[in-house]
Amino acid sequence: MAGFRSLARQVRDPRNDLALRRYSLRKCLERFAPYGHRATWDHLCSRAGFDPEDRSPEPARLTAALDELEEARAVWLAYETQFAERRRKEKHDGLRRPGTVDDWHRLTWGGFGVAWCDDPMVHPSEPLAEVLNRLIAALEREPGTACPVCTGTALRWEHDLAHEPSSGPVCTHCGIVVPRPVLTPASLAGAWRARVLVSA
Ligand SMILES: [Zn+2]
């Protein structure tokens, strides 16, 4: 299975035909896609200015989309390296952390679905790297009461998400599943109360 970097080279290589370059970019999203594959694709296409269904977008637009993705990936991998290093030190010092942060990291290691958007058409519109920086800042401070990306406070618990964990608090404004460790117990409870109840 080709890695992210070799796929990225395929996207940039002008000797490849456009269909292969586009396909390689989509394959990159199987390795790294903060919103999940479909939502991240939708996001990159709209930012770079081509239609998600366009089979032969302008090469410059394709590489612009790849640039954005790579920048975000660099932000996330740097954070993971730092996180792993900190954990190693804490273990060495015999410190224990609440399980939720570690549990969350286990599910998102590598950056796939860190800000899962279950509806591929509803996702934040800021550059991906900026979104990840906001998410990281939230993971590194005390839990709060708002969405770490758009600061919206209308959170609603949703079930049957197409990603693990399969249920969680969703920001009704920007569409991300908010990582549980960044929310206070009261906010989590509020999102739960706002869940959509299906009558029997
Ligand atoms: Zn939000």
Side-chain angles (χ1 to χ4, degrees):
M1 199 160 74
F4 185 95
R5 281 160 187 265
S6 65
L7 288 165
R9 270 196 300 276
Q10 296 286 340
V11 178
R12 288 213 170 84
D13 193 339
R15 290 167 303 180
N16 292 332
D17 67 38
L18 263 181
L20 175 63
R21 295 174 70 180
R22 178 184 181 277
Y23 174 77
S24 301
L25 180 58
R26 293 215 66 159
K27 296 293 277 184
C28 283
L29 296 181
E30 287 171 17
R31 312 291 182 282
F32 180 76
Y35 304 149
H37 192 145
R38 291 179 61 204
T40 307
W41 178 249
D42 187 74
H43 168 84
L44 291 176
C45 292
S46 70
R47 298 244 334 143
F50 61 96
D51 190 276
E53 299 301 326
D54 187 350
R55 299 282 142 185
S56 48
E58 277 174 49
R61 295 189 191 277
L62 264 189
T63 51
L66 177 62
D67 288 344
E68 180 175 350
L69 188 65
E70 279 183 327
E71 195 194 339
R73 183 169 176 266
V75 165
W76 190 256
L77 295 186
Y79 166 70
E80 283 195 341
T81 304
Q82 210 186 44
F83 179 85
E85 180 64 23
R86 202 161 53 211
R87 275 293 178 277
R88 215 170 10 250
K89 278 211 188 84
E90 285 172 355
K91 257 197 183 141
H92 181 261
D93 297 340
L95 287 173
R96 291 182 65 86
R97 282 266 198 153
T100 50
V101 181
D102 284 344
D103 289 348
W104 184 80
H105 269 281
R106 252 192 301 281
L107 294 172
T108 55
W109 204 253
F112 191 90
V114 285
W116 181 260
C117 296
D118 213 53
D119 179 345
M121 309 302 284
V122 183
H123 47 75
S125 55
E126 293 86 352
L128 270 180
E130 169 61 22
V131 166
L132 293 182
N133 274 320
R134 291 182 195 176
L135 192 65
I136 290 165
L139 286 163
E140 292 189 329
R141 62 176 179 249
E142 293 297 308
T145 56
C147 168
V149 173
C150 73
T151 70
T153 52
L155 307 173
R156 186 176 61 206
W157 204 274
E158 290 191 12
H159 293 277
D160 298 324
L161 302 171
H163 183 63
E164 281 297 316
S166 64
S167 77
V170 172
C171 173
T172 58
H173 182 245
C174 73
I176 71 162
V177 175
V178 179
R180 289 179 217 191
V182 313
L183 294 172
T184 61
S187 289
L188 287 168
W192 178 256
R193 279 193 300 275
R195 72 196 182 280
V196 179
L197 292 171
V198 181
S199 52

